[in-house]
Every structure is written in structure tokens, then in C-alpha cells.
Amino acid sequence: DGFSFQNLASKMTGVPEDDYKAMMVSLRRGMAAIMSVRGVPLFLTGFVVVWTALSGTNTFYSIQMAAIGGSGAQIGLIWAIGAMVEVPIMYAFPRLAKRFGAERLLVIGAIAFAVRTGLSALATEPWQLLAIAPLEGVGFACVFVGGVTVLASRAPAGTGGTAQGLLTSGSGLATILGSTLGGVIAAAIGIPGLFVICAVVSVIGAAIIVAAIVRPAPSSPAARVRPAS
């Protein structure tokens, strides 16, 4: 029951049980407050959809690279290129968001995922996947950091940490869904077919995000928190 779970969690974490109960109550209230903000549930849905498509793609990306003749070094290079693009964008994201808007960058990231995945379905030689590897870095940085930034900007005051936790939980759920469903789909129609489906799903997720972020956010400054830098 709830008491036994809290008692066990208290012993495992070393947090006094009364304090743990208070933390859980605060967490539930924070989550409820965030989910009550207009557009946030739809935004989280879109984020999970996009991240599910990403997970479904990435789970089988190295396998597909090897299937079309890629070497181990080329497989490693694909992910290295993505990281070399991703890290600078993450570092510069606050400045980019001020100039272009975090919402716009987030949608650009989702579209980058879709383009990369769609082109990957057509690739027949390793160099083609290497050529589009930067899109993975653009997509990952813009979608993840953009997601955190946009959600934090809409979260009620004092719930910024809970908002980031919700987004991280959503990405974890999406990773499980993408890997599991991706395996079923790849077994049925092949990895290129899976990539086509993931590209379409990513576009759908981007459309859901757009529908969520065009809704007016809370107008009161007290209802907002500054995104974590």
C-alpha cells in the first residue's frame, strides 16, 4: 500500500518518512499545477510522439548502417558527428532562443529528425548516412533543450524543476515505446520501412507541438518561471 511504499522509499533514500510524504504531496501538486496550464498536456504529447520516433530510429540506425556496408569506424563516426553538432547548439541555445524563439527551434528540431529519418530510409551507401549525420545533432539539441525551455516558461512559479522532471520522464517513456514498437515494425516491414514510419510520426509530433504552443500561455508574470540556463 501507499504507507509501505513510502516507508520503503524512506529507508532506501535515507529521507525521514514524514519528509518523504511531504515531498510526494508537493510533487503531485506541482504536476497537477503544470498539467492544468492550457496547452501543456498537448505539448507533452507532441514531445513524446517526436521522441518515440527518434528512439525507434536510433535503436536500429547502427544496424542499418552495417546492413548497407558501413564499417565499425563509420558507425562510430556517425554518432560522433551528431555529438559534435549537438553540443555547441546546446551551449548556444539560450542565445539562439533569444534570437529565433525556443518554440521555433523546437519545431525545427522535430523537422530535422523527420528529414534525417526519411533520407535514411532511402540510403543505400554508408557515405549517405554520414552526410546527413549532422541532422541528428540539430534535432536532438533543439528538441530536448527546446522542450525543457518551452515547458519551463509555461510552468507555474516554483514548479520549474517538476516541469523538467516531467519532460525527462516523457523522454524515458518514449525511449521504451520507440525501441519496443520499432522492433515489432522492423521485423514486419524492415528497417527502411520503419524509418519511413518514424519520419511520418515525427512530422505528426511536430504538428501537435505547433498546435500546443500557438495557444496563449498564462498572461500573468507570476505564473511563469525563467527557463533553467
Side-chain angles (χ1 to χ4, degrees), residues 41-201:
L42 189 62
F43 173 82
L44 286 172
T45 299
F47 178 87
V48 169
V49 169
V50 171
W51 211 261
T52 297
L54 167 67
S55 176
T57 300
N58 283 358
T59 298
F60 296 91
Y61 211 73
S62 296
I63 297 174
Q64 181 64 7
M65 179 62 157
I68 61 176
S71 65
Q74 289 174 319
I75 292 172
L77 184 57
I78 278 183
W79 300 110
I81 292 172
M84 285 189 290
V85 174
E86 168 193 322
V87 172
I89 293 177
M90 285 184 164
Y91 180 78
F93 194 90
R95 296 192 299 274
L96 293 172
K98 287 181 180 179
R99 181 171 182 180
F100 302 106
E103 295 87 351
R104 185 176 289 111
L105 292 173
L106 172 56
V107 175
I108 288 173
I111 297 302
F113 277 154
V115 172
R116 173 239 191 182
T117 305
L119 292 176
S120 297
L122 303 175
T124 57
E125 297 183 31
W127 70 265
Q128 295 169 336
L129 293 185
L130 287 168
I132 61 176
L135 291 174
E136 198 276 338
V138 173
F140 187 95
C142 288
V143 171
F144 188 77
V145 182
V148 170
T149 303
V150 171
L151 185 58
S153 71
R154 284 159 169 72
T159 63
T162 302
Q164 294 189 27
L166 274 174
L167 202 75
T168 302
S169 298
S171 67
L173 172 63
T175 298
I176 296 171
L177 290 174
S179 300
T180 303
L181 296 176
V184 173
I185 295 171
I189 62 176
I191 295 177
L194 166 66
F195 287 174
V196 170
I197 290 176
C198 286
V200 173
V201 170

Side-chain angles (χ1 to χ4, degrees), residues 5-17:
F5 172 79
Q6 291 173 356
N7 183 265
L8 176 62
S10 174
K11 291 180 178 178
M12 292 178 63
T13 61
V15 177
E17 187 173 346

